[in-house]
Amino acid sequence: MNTGASWPSPDQAAARVLGMQTKLHRWAGEDEDRRFDDLYNLVCDPAFLLVAWGRVKGNVGARSAGVDGETVRDIEAGRGVEAFLDDLRADLKAGAFRPLPVRERMIPKSGGRLRRLGIPTARDRVVQAALKLVLEPIFEADFRPCSYGFRPRRRAQDAIAEINYLGSRSYEWVLEADIEACFDTIDHTALLGRVRDRIGDKRLLTLVKAFLKTGILTETGRREETITGTPQGGILSPLLANIALSVLDESFAADWQTLMSTTTRRSTRRRKGLGTWRLVRYADDFVVMVAGSRANAEQLRQVVADRLAPMGLRLSDAKTRVVHLDEGFDFLGWHIQRRRKRGTGNHYVYTYPSRRSVTAIRRKVRALTRRTSQPNVRLLLLRVNAVLRGWANYFKHGVSKRCFSRLDSFAWRRVVRWLHQRHLGLNWTAIRRRFLHGWDVVCDGITLYKPSTVAVTRYRYRGTRIPGPWSPTADTTARLVESRMR
């Protein structure tokens, strides 16, 4: 690729990036021992920087500023995108680029805890996005099918479908594991070692290390060094976390290949009481499905801990447990449980929205419908609808119809209560005449969304047949759009 070329159009940039990514992915797949050199020039390439800028701009976090106080909108309104990218490219080529500390932002988690996010500057985000464009197709060739989180064209529903598939085939014991502060404790030396297995370009490795060591500016204005971990909030962090956690995927894949790859081997192991197991991982959340006994599942707890230890990671004793599929467990917002089908003696694995997920969506709707939370009915409906629609689309591939109907009623009551509180001079008849068409809340052509109208469908289990964006059989137009937007 001509790295001295002028700035291309967005479509030209997307096509050039996709073509190079396809080559990198193919070369990595053809030779699993190959180490890639001279990748740094691709990070500096105008096409890669332009596509990286598009992804940063299209991200929800584009409205947030880093420690320099500059947002994407500020760059566009000030010196302009081309001048910004020209300066950035010049610094990268001269070796003068230095990432700034990320800005700390604490967000609430369940149970009253807080999660630390690190917000990089817009300039650093563009470089991280360019790095990801170069590194992702290489490491995707190595990632195992059991990993689903933060990977192109894979989603949480695939992980749930895998659990459903295994649970229907005698994998009835579950090691439900939780890694303690995963993103904050990954060992930098071990992580960079795994990156070096594939990357031989010293300039690129130095850039990755610089982002790991950049530090955090806390909310109190104090600078903290990042000795371990990859702060959540950066574009590159999910990929680096997957590289670190792939050590677990590879070890379980090796177990399967050497001990359980054939029907005869699996039958022999079960007859001897040894059990068989499969890993299902979504980022730092994972379960091990075990066909055998509870003792087999308990033994895997220490096995997992030993395999994570070299990466500086450890399991949370309080949250790691072994459960039977008939008891049920929560994973990625779902409650998964094997139950007897009504009217029959047959048992099937069912997936429901978990209680925590239902509580969370009700809490969001409640917060949006407080008396002073929204200035008018139109904005209220827009915001409530967005929350309900996203939640319903995520949970439509499970046993969710009754839950959707109850959420309908809850949202309707909250919105009508808000109307009463904001229009104290109107009685119920006047409110119905002004805001309700039949029993639907309507304003300016916007109707309160009903999750119960979403069709509940079974998600198709795709197994290992999930094509990547660099597959030669993939639709070219879809691949170009994805290259620009993902």
Side-chain angles (χ1 to χ4, degrees):
M1 182 175 288
N2 180 13
T3 57
S6 59
W7 294 101
S9 70
D11 288 338
Q12 290 173 332
R16 288 166 62 181
V17 169
L18 178 61
M20 193 64 219
Q21 286 183 314
T22 303
K23 291 179 181 178
L24 291 172
H25 185 69
R26 185 177 72 248
W27 294 336
E30 289 173 349
D31 184 1
E32 62 182 18
D33 296 322
R34 176 170 181 167
R35 296 181 77 228
F36 290 80
D37 295 305
D38 198 24
L39 295 176
Y40 189 81
N41 285 332
L42 290 178
V43 178
C44 306
D45 184 81
F48 277 77
L49 288 175
L50 193 60
V51 172
W53 167 262
R55 295 191 178 180
V56 171
K57 180 182 176 181
N59 195 290
V60 176
R63 295 172 292 181
S64 301
V67 294
D68 61 353
E70 191 174 45
T71 65
V72 168
R73 183 175 295 179
D74 294 335
I75 294 171
E76 291 177 324
R79 49 182 158 163
V81 176
E82 190 166 329
F84 167 78
L85 292 179
D86 274 331
D87 293 343
L88 180 57
R89 182 167 183 255
D91 286 347
L92 285 168
K93 293 187 72 175
F97 173 82
R98 298 292 183 273
L100 293 175
V102 297
R103 179 170 66 87
E104 180 188 61
R105 184 177 178 185
M106 306 300 288
I107 60 173
K109 290 178 63 176
S110 59
R113 296 172 299 160
L114 294 175
R115 171 182 291 161
R116 170 187 277 182
L117 287 185
I119 304 176
T121 64
R123 179 182 172 91
D124 292 349
R125 271 177 266 174
V126 173
V127 178
Q128 286 192 30
L131 270 172
K132 184 181 179 185
L133 288 171
V134 175
L135 295 175
E136 189 173 49
I138 296 172
F139 284 97
E140 273 293 324
D142 298 333
F143 289 161
R144 304 293 175 172
C146 63
S147 167
Y148 296 96
F150 302 113
R151 295 184 58 190
R153 298 193 179 179
R154 288 171 172 256
R155 53 186 72 96
Q157 283 81 359
D158 288 313
I160 299 301
E162 174 83 3
I163 293 172
N164 197 309
Y165 176 84
L166 294 171
S168 302
R169 286 159 178 79
S170 302
Y171 289 81
E172 55 188 22
W173 287 101
V174 182
L175 173 62
E176 186 183 1
D178 181 85
I179 301 176
E180 194 164 329
C182 175
F183 282 84
D184 297 330
T185 57
I186 295 174
D187 183 82
H188 288 175
T189 302
L191 172 58
L192 287 171
R194 292 187 66 80
V195 176
R196 286 192 190 95
D197 288 342
R198 275 301 202 174
I199 308 300
D201 190 321
K202 291 184 178 180
R203 290 183 298 172
L204 190 140
L205 290 168
T206 300
L207 190 56
V208 172
K209 184 177 181 179
F211 278 116
L212 290 174
K213 301 291 187 182
T214 188
I216 298 175
L217 188 67
T218 67
E219 292 181 336
T220 59
R222 183 167 52 88
R223 169 78 179 267
E224 290 184 1
E225 300 298 327
T226 47
I227 302 172
T228 61
T230 169
Q232 287 179 271
I235 293 175
L236 194 59
S237 294
L239 175 61
L240 294 178
N242 268 333
I243 293 172
L245 290 169
S246 63
V247 67
L248 191 63
D249 307 340
E250 292 168 4
S251 65
F252 273 87
D255 288 347
W256 181 263
Q257 191 63 34
T258 57
L259 303 174
M260 302 168 272
S261 58
T262 66
T263 304
T264 302
R265 286 179 175 178
R266 293 193 293 274
S267 299
T268 301
R269 288 184 60 85
R270 292 174 189 174
R271 190 168 59 251
K272 293 181 178 180
L274 298 176
T276 59
W277 51 85
R278 299 295 296 270
L279 173 71
V280 181
R281 183 175 68 82
Y282 188 94
D284 58 331
D285 294 323
F286 66 92
V287 296
V288 182
M289 306 291 292
V290 180
S293 65
R294 183 185 187 94
N296 297 143
E298 291 285 1
Q299 290 169 1
L300 287 173
R301 185 198 296 255
Q302 188 58 46
V303 172
V304 171
D306 292 341
R307 292 173 179 179
L308 290 174
M311 299 306 303
L313 303 173
R314 60 193 182 94
L315 295 177
S316 169
D317 292 333
K319 296 182 180 179
T320 301
R321 63 187 187 124
V322 172
V323 297
H324 195 273
L325 199 55
D326 291 346
E327 301 173 47
F329 64 99
D330 291 351
F331 189 63
L332 302 180
W334 294 90
H335 182 72
I336 305 169
Q337 188 173 9
R338 186 171 65 180
R339 292 184 176 182
R340 183 179 61 83
K341 184 177 180 180
R342 285 184 300 177
T344 72
N346 300 325
H347 287 72
Y348 298 95
V349 179
Y350 293 98
T351 53
Y352 310 84
S354 69
R355 289 186 179 180
R356 180 177 294 180
S357 299
V358 175
T359 301
I361 186 62
R362 289 168 70 96
R363 187 182 298 118
K364 286 182 181 179
V365 172
R366 189 178 288 111
L368 289 171
T369 53
R370 292 196 177 101
R371 188 176 66 85
T372 58
S373 60
Q374 310 298 335
N376 54 62
V377 183
R378 183 178 183 277
L379 194 58
L380 171 74
L381 292 179
L382 285 173
R383 291 178 174 173
V384 172
N385 284 357
V387 169
L388 294 177
R389 185 178 290 109
W391 196 87
N393 282 334
Y394 180 80
F395 286 105
K396 67 181 179 181
H397 298 298
V399 185
S400 307
K401 202 65 176 179
R402 181 179 298 178
C403 185
F404 286 172
S405 297
R406 290 173 178 171
L407 187 57
D408 271 0
S409 301
F410 176 77
W412 186 89
R413 290 196 305 270
R414 290 295 305 182
V415 171
V416 170
R417 183 174 181 269
W418 184 90
L419 292 172
H420 268 294
Q421 292 174 335
R422 291 298 294 265
H423 302 85
L424 297 176
L426 300 180
N427 59 25
W428 171 241
T429 302
I431 287 177
R432 278 200 62 187
R433 185 183 303 115
R434 181 181 297 187
F435 298 109
L436 271 66
H437 292 187
W439 289 101
D440 294 331
V441 181
V442 181
C443 179
D444 295 339
I446 302 171
T447 304
L448 178 63
Y449 186 76
K450 293 183 176 181
S452 62
T453 61
V454 176
V456 173
T457 58
R458 179 181 293 276
Y459 188 80
R460 181 174 60 87
Y461 173 61
R462 300 192 289 170
T464 59
R465 304 180 303 278
I466 303 178
W470 308 289
S471 169
T473 59
D475 179 71
T476 304
T477 303
R479 291 164 69 209
L480 283 172
V481 172
E482 187 173 2
S483 178
R484 289 183 60 183
M485 299 303 295
R486 189 175 53 80

